[in-house]
Amino acid sequence: MLRRNYLGLEIHREGLRAVAVQRRGSRVALIGGQTLNFKEGVLLPSVLQPNINKPEQFVNAVREVLLPLAKREKRLAVALPDAAGHVYLLNIDTPFKNHAEGLDIVRWQLKDLLPPKLTRYAADYQVIEERDSGGRRLLVSVIAEDVLHQYEELLTQAGFAAALVDFHAMSLYNAYRTKIELGSDFFLIGIDDNRLCMLAFENHLLDLCRSKTISEDPERIFHEINRSMVAYRRSHGTMSRTKVYLHSNWQQTDELMAAVGSAFERDVDLLPSPLQLLAGSQKLNISAADARGMAPALGVAERMIQRVAK
Protein backbone atom coordinates (compact mmCIF):
# COMPACT_ATOMS: atom_id res chain seq x y z
CA MET A 1 0.00 0.00 0.00
CA LEU A 2 1.36 3.38 -1.03
CA ARG A 3 1.22 5.94 1.75
CA ARG A 4 1.52 9.68 1.37
CA ASN A 5 4.55 11.44 2.79
CA TYR A 6 3.89 14.55 4.86
CA LEU A 7 6.80 16.96 4.60
CA GLY A 8 7.73 19.48 7.26
CA LEU A 9 10.35 22.14 6.57
CA GLU A 10 11.71 24.58 9.12
CA ILE A 11 13.40 27.60 7.59
CA HIS A 12 15.71 29.56 9.87
CA ARG A 13 18.57 32.00 9.53
CA GLU A 14 21.26 29.32 9.73
CA GLY A 15 19.68 26.80 7.37
CA LEU A 16 16.96 24.21 6.79
CA ARG A 17 15.61 21.26 8.75
CA ALA A 18 13.28 18.84 7.00
CA VAL A 19 11.25 15.84 8.16
CA ALA A 20 9.07 13.30 6.34
CA VAL A 21 6.37 11.38 8.22
CA GLN A 22 3.50 9.09 7.26
CA ARG A 23 0.13 8.47 8.82
CA ARG A 24 -0.36 4.81 9.72
CA GLY A 25 -3.73 4.31 11.28
CA SER A 26 -3.88 6.32 14.49
CA ARG A 27 -0.12 6.81 14.73
CA VAL A 28 2.57 8.76 12.90
CA ALA A 29 5.68 7.06 11.54
CA LEU A 30 8.99 8.82 10.91
CA ILE A 31 10.33 8.27 7.40
CA GLY A 32 13.44 10.42 7.55
CA GLY A 33 15.04 13.76 8.27
CA GLN A 34 17.63 16.05 6.71
CA THR A 35 19.47 19.21 7.79
CA LEU A 36 21.43 21.74 5.77
CA ASN A 37 23.35 24.86 6.79
CA PHE A 38 23.27 28.01 4.65
CA LYS A 39 26.29 29.96 3.61
CA GLU A 40 26.55 33.39 5.23
CA GLY A 41 23.98 35.93 4.11
CA VAL A 42 21.44 33.67 2.39
CA LEU A 43 18.60 34.59 4.75
CA LEU A 44 17.91 37.40 7.22
CA PRO A 45 14.52 37.27 8.99
CA SER A 46 12.64 40.58 8.84
CA VAL A 47 9.05 41.67 9.39
CA LEU A 48 8.97 44.27 6.61
CA GLN A 49 11.49 43.17 3.98
CA PRO A 50 11.75 39.95 1.90
CA ASN A 51 13.97 37.61 3.93
CA ILE A 52 15.96 35.72 1.31
CA ASN A 53 18.95 37.62 -0.06
CA LYS A 54 20.33 34.84 -2.27
CA PRO A 55 17.31 33.22 -3.94
CA GLU A 56 19.22 30.79 -6.16
CA GLN A 57 21.18 29.37 -3.22
CA PHE A 58 17.96 29.07 -1.21
CA VAL A 59 16.15 27.18 -4.00
CA ASN A 60 19.06 24.78 -4.43
CA ALA A 61 19.19 24.20 -0.67
CA VAL A 62 15.47 23.38 -0.54
CA ARG A 63 15.85 20.84 -3.32
CA GLU A 64 18.89 19.28 -1.68
CA VAL A 65 17.20 18.81 1.67
CA LEU A 66 13.73 17.79 0.47
CA LEU A 67 14.15 15.68 -2.66
CA PRO A 68 15.60 12.66 -0.78
CA LEU A 69 12.55 12.71 1.51
CA ALA A 70 9.74 13.73 -0.81
CA LYS A 71 9.31 10.75 -3.17
CA ARG A 72 6.46 12.09 -5.33
CA GLU A 73 5.08 14.46 -2.69
CA LYS A 74 4.97 18.18 -3.51
CA ARG A 75 2.86 19.54 -0.64
CA LEU A 76 4.83 21.06 2.15
CA ALA A 77 4.18 22.35 5.68
CA VAL A 78 6.55 25.20 6.54
CA ALA A 79 7.70 26.69 9.84
CA LEU A 80 9.06 30.21 9.28
CA PRO A 81 11.31 32.16 11.66
CA ASP A 82 9.33 33.89 14.43
CA ALA A 83 11.21 37.09 13.50
CA ALA A 84 9.57 37.04 10.04
CA GLY A 85 6.16 38.00 11.43
CA HIS A 86 4.06 38.67 14.50
CA VAL A 87 1.96 36.47 16.79
CA TYR A 88 -0.76 37.90 19.04
CA LEU A 89 -3.17 36.54 21.61
CA LEU A 90 -6.43 38.46 21.16
CA ASN A 91 -9.62 38.45 23.22
CA ILE A 92 -12.60 38.92 20.90
CA ASP A 93 -15.87 39.82 22.61
CA THR A 94 -17.83 40.33 19.38
CA PRO A 95 -19.54 37.08 18.27
CA PHE A 96 -18.84 35.90 14.72
CA LYS A 97 -20.42 33.16 12.62
CA ASN A 98 -17.56 31.91 10.47
CA HIS A 99 -13.82 32.13 9.87
CA ALA A 100 -14.04 34.97 7.34
CA GLU A 101 -16.19 37.09 9.65
CA GLY A 102 -13.76 36.44 12.50
CA LEU A 103 -10.86 37.50 10.29
CA ASP A 104 -12.54 40.85 9.59
CA ILE A 105 -12.82 41.46 13.35
CA VAL A 106 -9.20 40.41 13.86
CA ARG A 107 -7.98 42.85 11.20
CA TRP A 108 -9.88 45.66 12.92
CA GLN A 109 -8.20 44.89 16.25
CA LEU A 110 -4.77 44.63 14.62
CA LYS A 111 -4.92 48.28 13.53
CA ASP A 112 -3.67 49.41 16.93
CA LEU A 113 -1.09 46.64 17.32
CA LEU A 114 0.85 46.38 14.06
CA PRO A 115 3.84 48.58 13.13
CA PRO A 116 2.61 51.57 11.07
CA LYS A 117 4.66 50.48 8.04
CA LEU A 118 3.05 47.04 7.96
CA THR A 119 0.01 47.88 5.84
CA ARG A 120 -0.17 44.92 3.44
CA TYR A 121 -0.19 41.66 5.33
CA ALA A 122 -1.66 38.17 5.49
CA ALA A 123 -3.33 37.11 8.75
CA ASP A 124 -4.86 33.93 10.08
CA TYR A 125 -6.02 32.70 13.47
CA GLN A 126 -6.85 29.69 15.59
CA VAL A 127 -9.55 29.70 18.27
CA ILE A 128 -7.92 28.56 21.50
CA GLU A 129 -10.81 29.24 23.88
CA GLU A 130 -14.56 29.70 23.49
CA ARG A 131 -16.30 31.39 26.41
CA ASP A 132 -19.84 31.08 27.71
CA SER A 133 -20.40 34.77 26.94
CA GLY A 134 -19.82 34.08 23.24
CA GLY A 135 -16.38 35.66 23.24
CA ARG A 136 -13.28 33.86 22.05
CA ARG A 137 -9.54 33.92 22.66
CA LEU A 138 -7.57 33.71 19.43
CA LEU A 139 -3.99 33.00 18.45
CA VAL A 140 -3.34 35.32 15.51
CA SER A 141 -0.42 35.08 13.08
CA VAL A 142 0.56 38.01 10.85
CA ILE A 143 3.13 38.23 8.06
CA ALA A 144 3.81 40.91 5.43
CA GLU A 145 2.50 39.93 1.99
CA ASP A 146 5.89 40.58 0.36
CA VAL A 147 7.65 38.36 2.90
CA LEU A 148 5.16 35.50 2.52
CA HIS A 149 5.05 35.71 -1.28
CA GLN A 150 8.83 35.49 -1.56
CA TYR A 151 8.94 32.30 0.51
CA GLU A 152 6.03 30.78 -1.45
CA GLU A 153 7.45 31.70 -4.85
CA LEU A 154 10.93 30.33 -4.13
CA LEU A 155 9.50 27.10 -2.72
CA THR A 156 7.47 26.79 -5.93
CA GLN A 157 10.65 27.28 -7.97
CA ALA A 158 12.18 24.44 -5.95
CA GLY A 159 9.24 22.22 -6.98
CA PHE A 160 7.13 22.35 -3.82
CA ALA A 161 3.88 24.00 -2.72
CA ALA A 162 3.49 25.51 0.75
CA ALA A 163 0.15 24.01 1.81
CA LEU A 164 0.49 25.16 5.43
CA VAL A 165 2.60 27.99 6.85
CA ASP A 166 3.26 28.51 10.56
CA PHE A 167 5.94 29.99 12.80
CA HIS A 168 8.75 28.33 14.75
CA ALA A 169 7.35 28.65 18.31
CA MET A 170 3.97 27.02 17.75
CA SER A 171 5.46 24.31 15.53
CA LEU A 172 7.86 23.52 18.37
CA TYR A 173 4.99 23.12 20.82
CA ASN A 174 3.04 20.94 18.39
CA ALA A 175 5.95 18.47 18.21
CA TYR A 176 5.84 17.86 21.96
CA ARG A 177 2.16 18.07 22.83
CA THR A 178 1.23 14.72 21.25
CA LYS A 179 4.18 12.81 22.73
CA ILE A 180 4.69 14.06 26.28
CA GLU A 181 2.17 14.75 29.04
CA LEU A 182 3.13 18.32 29.85
CA GLY A 183 0.31 18.96 32.33
CA SER A 184 -2.26 21.74 32.42
CA ASP A 185 -0.04 24.63 33.63
CA PHE A 186 3.51 24.93 32.33
CA PHE A 187 6.16 27.03 30.63
CA LEU A 188 7.85 25.80 27.46
CA ILE A 189 11.14 27.58 26.89
CA GLY A 190 12.68 26.94 23.48
CA ILE A 191 16.28 27.86 22.70
CA ASP A 192 17.49 26.93 19.21
CA ASP A 193 20.89 28.42 18.42
CA ASN A 194 20.31 32.13 19.14
CA ARG A 195 16.50 32.06 19.16
CA LEU A 196 14.55 32.23 22.41
CA CYS A 197 10.82 31.54 22.60
CA MET A 198 8.69 31.53 25.74
CA LEU A 199 5.28 29.87 25.84
CA ALA A 200 3.07 29.75 28.92
CA PHE A 201 -0.01 27.56 29.28
CA GLU A 202 -2.69 27.88 31.92
CA ASN A 203 -5.41 25.25 32.23
CA HIS A 204 -4.14 23.73 28.93
CA LEU A 205 -4.62 27.07 27.11
CA LEU A 206 -1.89 29.23 25.62
CA ASP A 207 -1.52 32.33 27.79
CA LEU A 208 1.80 33.83 26.63
CA CYS A 209 3.83 33.68 23.41
CA ARG A 210 7.06 35.65 23.02
CA SER A 211 10.11 35.24 20.79
CA LYS A 212 13.43 37.03 20.56
CA THR A 213 16.80 36.71 18.85
CA ILE A 214 19.56 36.66 21.46
CA SER A 215 23.24 35.79 21.77
CA GLU A 216 24.15 32.21 22.66
CA ASP A 217 25.10 33.13 26.23
CA PRO A 218 23.35 31.52 29.24
CA GLU A 219 23.74 34.69 31.33
CA ARG A 220 22.09 36.85 28.65
CA ILE A 221 19.29 34.32 28.36
CA PHE A 222 18.79 34.45 32.15
CA HIS A 223 18.43 38.25 32.03
CA GLU A 224 16.14 38.17 28.98
CA ILE A 225 13.75 35.69 30.59
CA ASN A 226 13.70 37.75 33.78
CA ARG A 227 13.00 40.96 31.87
CA SER A 228 10.32 39.41 29.70
CA MET A 229 8.49 37.80 32.63
CA VAL A 230 8.16 40.90 34.86
CA ALA A 231 4.60 41.81 33.85
CA TYR A 232 3.51 38.18 33.61
CA ARG A 233 4.66 37.48 37.15
CA ARG A 234 2.60 40.42 38.46
CA SER A 235 -0.61 39.13 36.89
CA HIS A 236 -0.04 35.44 37.67
CA GLY A 237 0.58 34.98 41.35
CA THR A 238 0.42 31.17 41.15
CA MET A 239 3.16 30.80 38.53
CA SER A 240 5.67 29.83 41.23
CA ARG A 241 4.11 26.34 41.11
CA THR A 242 4.13 26.06 37.33
CA LYS A 243 6.26 23.39 35.67
CA VAL A 244 9.11 24.59 33.42
CA TYR A 245 10.25 22.60 30.36
CA LEU A 246 13.29 23.41 28.25
CA HIS A 247 13.80 22.56 24.60
CA SER A 248 17.25 23.25 23.15
CA ASN A 249 19.47 22.11 20.30
CA TRP A 250 22.66 23.18 22.13
CA GLN A 251 25.33 20.50 22.34
CA GLN A 252 26.01 21.35 26.01
CA THR A 253 22.97 22.20 28.09
CA ASP A 254 24.16 22.18 31.73
CA GLU A 255 24.85 25.93 31.97
CA LEU A 256 21.73 26.72 29.97
CA MET A 257 19.53 24.62 32.28
CA ALA A 258 21.07 26.34 35.29
CA ALA A 259 20.37 29.78 33.78
CA VAL A 260 16.73 28.98 32.97
CA GLY A 261 16.27 27.37 36.39
CA SER A 262 17.65 30.49 38.08
CA ALA A 263 15.32 32.72 36.08
CA PHE A 264 12.28 30.75 37.24
CA GLU A 265 13.74 29.84 40.66
CA ARG A 266 12.93 26.15 40.28
CA ASP A 267 14.10 22.95 38.64
CA VAL A 268 13.81 22.69 34.87
CA ASP A 269 13.07 19.55 32.84
CA LEU A 270 15.11 19.17 29.64
CA LEU A 271 12.80 17.71 27.02
CA PRO A 272 13.93 14.69 24.99
CA SER A 273 13.97 14.85 21.21
CA PRO A 274 10.42 14.34 19.86
CA LEU A 275 12.05 12.98 16.72
CA GLN A 276 13.71 10.24 18.78
CA LEU A 277 10.46 9.56 20.66
CA LEU A 278 8.73 9.06 17.32
CA ALA A 279 11.55 6.94 15.93
CA GLY A 280 11.57 4.60 18.93
CA SER A 281 14.22 1.92 18.38
CA GLN A 282 14.87 3.18 14.84
CA LYS A 283 18.42 4.57 14.67
CA LEU A 284 18.77 8.20 13.59
CA ASN A 285 21.87 9.06 11.58
CA ILE A 286 22.07 12.53 13.12
CA SER A 287 23.43 13.91 16.38
CA ALA A 288 21.27 14.20 19.50
CA ALA A 289 21.38 18.00 19.25
CA ASP A 290 20.27 17.91 15.58
CA ALA A 291 17.45 15.54 16.51
CA ARG A 292 16.22 17.99 19.15
CA GLY A 293 16.61 20.89 16.72
CA MET A 294 14.35 19.21 14.17
CA ALA A 295 11.35 19.43 16.51
CA PRO A 296 9.67 22.39 14.70
CA ALA A 297 9.93 20.64 11.31
CA LEU A 298 8.28 17.58 12.84
CA GLY A 299 5.66 19.70 14.59
CA VAL A 300 4.56 21.50 11.44
CA ALA A 301 4.45 18.23 9.44
CA GLU A 302 2.20 16.67 12.07
CA ARG A 303 -0.02 19.75 12.05
CA MET A 304 -0.69 19.14 8.36
CA ILE A 305 -1.70 15.57 9.17
CA GLN A 306 -4.04 16.88 11.87
CA ARG A 307 -5.59 19.36 9.42
CA VAL A 308 -6.16 16.66 6.78
CA ALA A 309 -7.71 14.35 9.41
CA LYS A 310 -10.40 16.89 10.38
Side-chain angles (χ1 to χ4, degrees):
M1 177 181 177
L2 292 176
R3 291 186 171 90
R4 184 164 217 165
N5 277 5
Y6 291 84
L7 303 175
L9 177 70
E10 186 198 7
I11 302 171
H12 57 105
R13 182 172 180 169
E14 293 78 22
L16 304 173
R17 298 183 181 118
V19 166
V21 293
Q22 290 180 353
R23 184 180 177 188
R24 297 183 180 174
S26 60
R27 68 184 186 90
V28 174
L30 176 67
I31 303 305
Q34 295 261 104
T35 65
L36 183 148
N37 291 328
F38 289 142
K39 294 180 180 178
E40 186 70 27
V42 171
L43 187 149
L44 181 63
S46 169
V47 170
L48 297 175
Q49 302 294 330
N51 290 192
I52 299 160
N53 299 318
K54 299 179 180 179
E56 185 177 351
Q57 290 186 30
F58 177 82
V59 169
N60 290 336
V62 170
R63 289 174 178 154
E64 183 176 341
V65 80
L66 282 178
L67 287 177
L69 303 173
K71 306 300 181 185
R72 292 171 297 177
E73 185 58 60
K74 301 300 180 185
R75 293 183 317 161
L76 186 63
V78 184
L80 297 180
D82 291 330
H86 292 283
V87 174
Y88 299 98
L89 285 168
L90 298 183
N91 292 311
I92 305 294
D93 295 325
T94 306
F96 55 87
K97 297 178 182 178
N98 53 50
H99 190 83
E101 192 174 307
L103 196 54
D104 288 339
I105 297 170
V106 163
R107 285 183 172 273
W108 180 261
Q109 288 211 3
L110 287 173
K111 287 181 179 181
D112 296 328
L113 298 173
L114 293 176
K117 292 183 179 180
L118 185 53
T119 56
R120 299 179 61 225
Y121 62 86
D124 203 358
Y125 68 86
Q126 300 174 52
V127 178
I128 59 175
E129 182 184 10
E130 298 199 26
R131 293 163 179 164
D132 294 338
S133 62
R136 295 176 172 95
R137 187 165 173 81
L138 308 181
L139 175 66
V140 179
S141 299
V142 178
I143 187 169
E145 288 183 356
D146 288 347
V147 173
L148 179 61
H149 289 167
Q150 187 197 36
Y151 278 115
E152 291 177 332
E153 288 171 7
L154 293 180
L155 290 171
T156 298
Q157 287 183 31
F160 297 91
L164 186 154
V165 178
D166 207 342
F167 289 116
H168 166 90
M170 295 313 300
S171 300
L172 174 65
Y173 164 65
N174 199 58
Y176 285 107
R177 71 178 185 86
T178 57
K179 301 170 189 64
I180 298 175
E181 178 50 59
L182 299 169
S184 61
D185 304 308
F186 61 92
F187 291 99
L188 173 56
I189 307 301
I191 301 169
D192 281 296
D193 301 315
N194 63 346
R195 295 165 294 164
L196 166 66
C197 70
M198 294 171 282
L199 305 176
F201 289 79
E202 188 171 35
N203 195 25
H204 298 286
L205 300 175
L206 182 65
D207 196 48
L208 173 77
C209 181
R210 291 180 185 164
S211 296
K212 187 174 180 65
T213 301
I214 193 168
S215 62
E216 296 181 48
D217 177 1
E219 186 174 350
R220 289 291 301 275
I221 289 169
F222 164 79
H223 289 298
E224 182 58 37
I225 292 174
N226 259 343
R227 188 191 66 79
S228 298
M229 296 301 297
V230 168
Y232 195 80
R233 284 189 177 99
R234 287 199 208 102
S235 60
H236 294 73
T238 61
M239 67 170 283
S240 60
R241 299 190 296 272
T242 304
K243 194 85 173 171
V244 180
Y245 298 101
L246 172 64
H247 156 89
S248 178
N249 72 332
W250 287 19
Q251 294 284 355
Q252 302 296 326
T253 57
D254 290 348
E255 288 187 27
L256 180 59
M257 287 186 65
V260 175
S262 295
F264 285 96
E265 298 181 339
R266 76 201 75 167
D267 292 337
V268 172
D269 288 348
L270 180 65
L271 290 167
S273 162
L275 206 71
Q276 188 63 69
L277 292 174
L278 192 62
S281 59
Q282 176 183 343
K283 184 174 180 179
L284 300 178
N285 294 319
I286 54 176
S287 70
D290 279 344
R292 292 195 300 270
M294 293 170 77
L298 175 61
V300 78
E302 290 187 318
R303 190 178 162 214
M304 187 154 66
I305 291 179
Q306 293 152 11
R307 175 180 284 187
V308 169
K310 287 183 179 179

